[in-house]
């Protein structure tokens, strides 16, 4: 298949590119950085230079593709609402290029948006309609264009050596404040998945004959936040203590959030089975620090 992927040099997108190339698919990647573009081109990927704001480019490139995998998202939380709207428009532009003929669009979302406080399953719709990120809602809306849409709901921690997401935020906060912290009793749960297992899932969705709408990229269904803080504290030689929301700043809603999620249907229907280390094991690696 000819597959167009946004975020082709990103944390998750780069693993998806490798999966697709290894499986014999032809890949076109959307890239912004010249440095990263050179490395990607050396792997045989066709490059399209641009950003998610180049809506005409997204539509035109999608129109020349059999499928699109959308992994790009700007995670600058200082302008999150604007980035969420950029993402929504990009999904619409990509679907417009794919419309008709039942071609595939795979969109990235997150399990934290489904049903905080209870075990989220693949059959549950996104729960918080007031949340600025509308990836999944827009994905449902563009089905009217005759596109076969699936959503990968990523765990809040997509981990692995080189992680620059939520776990690296916790590590840097611990270093800066001298304490590896949790909120309350630290019993709130975080699901997690290794980036290589997540990348493989996108490829498997692309190749399945009758894809469902939502899949959960979740290996660990719900690790208590306190357990994460304990491993980080042990690795850094720091005390592990409860702290108020103020300690975490902008990150407090994530640090105190309870987001358990199942991947039961995903595992059965895709025959997807995580093979990489779990989060707590991964966090014992010195390379993480």
């Amino acid at each position: 298949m000819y597959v167009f992927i946004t975020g082709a040099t990103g944390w998750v997108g780069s693993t998806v590119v490798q999966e697709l190339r290894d499986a014999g698919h032809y890949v076109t990647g959307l890239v912004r950085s010249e440095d990263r573009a050179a490395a990607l081109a050396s792997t045989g990927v066709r490059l399209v230079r641009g950003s998610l704001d180049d809506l005409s480019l997204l539509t035109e490139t999608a129109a020349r593709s059999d499928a699109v995998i959308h992994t790009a998202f700007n995670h600058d939380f200082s302008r999150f609402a604007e980035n969420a709207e950029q993402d929504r428009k990009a999904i619409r532009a990509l679907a417009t290029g794919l419309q008709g003929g039942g071609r595939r669009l795979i969109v990235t979302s997150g399990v934290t948006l489904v049903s905080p406080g209870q075990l989220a399953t693949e059959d549950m719709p996104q729960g918080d309609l007031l949340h600025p990120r509308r990836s999944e809602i827009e994905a449902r809306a563009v089905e009217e264009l005759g596109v076969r849409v699936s959503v990968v709901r990523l765990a809040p921690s997509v981990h692995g050596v080189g992680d620059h997401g939520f776990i690296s935020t916790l590590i840097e906060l611990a270093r800066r404040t001298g304490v590896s912290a949790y909120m309350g009793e630290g019993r709130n749960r975080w699901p997690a998945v290794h980036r290589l297992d997540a990348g493989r899932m996108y490829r498997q969705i692309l190749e399945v004959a009758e894809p469902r709408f939502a899949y959960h990229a979740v290996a660990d269904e719900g690790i208590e936040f306190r357990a994460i803080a304990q491993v980080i504290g042990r690795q850094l030689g720091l005390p592990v203590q409860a702290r108020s929301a103020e300690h975490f700043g902008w990150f407090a809603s994530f640090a105190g959030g309870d987001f358990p999620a199942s991947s039961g249907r995903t595992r059965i229907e895709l025959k997807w089975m995580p093979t990489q280390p779990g989060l707590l094991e991964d966090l014992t690696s010195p390379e993480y620090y």
Side-chain angles (χ1 to χ4, degrees):
M1 296 178 70
Y2 288 87
V3 185
F4 176 38
I5 176 168
T6 69
T9 61
W11 179 241
V12 174
S14 59
T15 69
V16 179
V17 167
Q18 189 61 52
E19 280 283 337
L20 295 174
R21 292 287 296 154
D22 289 348
H25 297 288
Y26 301 95
V27 181
T28 298
L30 180 71
V31 294
R32 292 181 300 169
S33 165
E34 289 296 326
D35 293 340
R36 292 187 175 185
L40 189 62
S42 69
T43 68
V45 173
R46 178 177 176 268
L47 304 183
V48 174
R49 288 177 172 80
S51 74
L52 295 184
D53 290 321
D54 299 319
L55 300 181
S56 295
L57 177 65
L58 298 182
T59 297
E60 292 165 5
T61 309
R64 297 191 297 268
S65 307
D66 298 314
V68 173
I69 298 177
H70 177 48
T71 68
F73 190 87
N74 186 339
H75 287 91
D76 178 358
F77 287 93
S78 68
R79 45 169 292 142
F80 193 76
E82 294 93 331
N83 296 335
E85 178 61 10
Q86 178 193 55
D87 175 66
R88 187 195 66 78
K89 290 179 178 178
I91 292 169
R92 175 65 60 168
L94 293 166
T96 299
L98 290 172
Q99 64 182 316
R103 287 183 287 173
R104 302 280 186 91
L105 172 62
I106 302 176
V107 170
T108 304
S109 182
V111 296
T112 61
L113 301 177
V114 181
S115 186
Q118 61 177 308
L119 187 70
T121 69
E122 296 90 335
D123 293 328
M124 292 179 176
Q126 181 176 313
D128 182 9
L129 299 182
L130 298 178
H131 193 279
R133 185 165 182 177
R134 316 284 288 183
S135 308
E136 189 164 326
I137 296 169
E138 189 66 17
R140 272 294 190 196
V142 299
E143 287 181 315
E144 67 185 19
L145 298 177
V147 182
R148 299 176 71 182
V149 184
S150 294
V151 170
V152 175
R153 294 170 174 168
L154 293 174
S157 175
V158 182
H159 59 90
V161 173
D163 182 353
H164 51 271
F166 288 167
I167 294 298
S168 65
T169 298
L170 288 174
I171 292 171
E172 290 309 310
L173 180 64
R175 282 190 169 124
R176 178 163 51 83
T177 62
V179 59
S180 184
Y182 55 88
M183 291 174 62
E185 296 182 355
R187 303 296 298 273
N188 56 301
R189 295 157 293 177
W190 264 27
V193 66
H194 195 282
R195 66 189 292 253
L196 297 181
D197 287 324
R200 178 161 44 86
M201 180 181 294
Y202 285 85
R203 191 258 304 163
Q204 288 181 265
I205 295 169
L206 190 67
E207 295 174 348
V208 73
E210 295 294 333
R212 65 180 292 115
F213 178 73
Y215 294 92
H216 283 187
V218 171
D220 296 307
E221 290 193 349
I223 302 170
E224 289 190 352
F225 194 89
R226 180 171 54 183
I228 298 171
Q230 287 170 339
V231 176
I232 292 173
R234 188 161 57 246
Q235 293 297 116
L236 294 178
L238 295 174
V240 180
Q241 299 172 358
R243 286 290 187 270
S244 67
E246 287 73 21
H247 175 86
F248 294 91
W250 67 268
F251 193 64
S253 61
F254 294 104
D258 188 37
F259 308 117
S262 167
S263 58
R265 286 192 175 274
T266 297
R267 295 179 190 231
I268 292 171
E269 295 180 21
L270 288 183
K271 296 181 173 58
W272 176 78
M273 186 61 64
T275 60
Q276 299 298 317
L279 175 59
L280 295 183
E281 180 184 352
D282 216 11
L283 281 176
T284 63
S285 171
E287 288 83 3
Y288 233 102
Y289 305 86

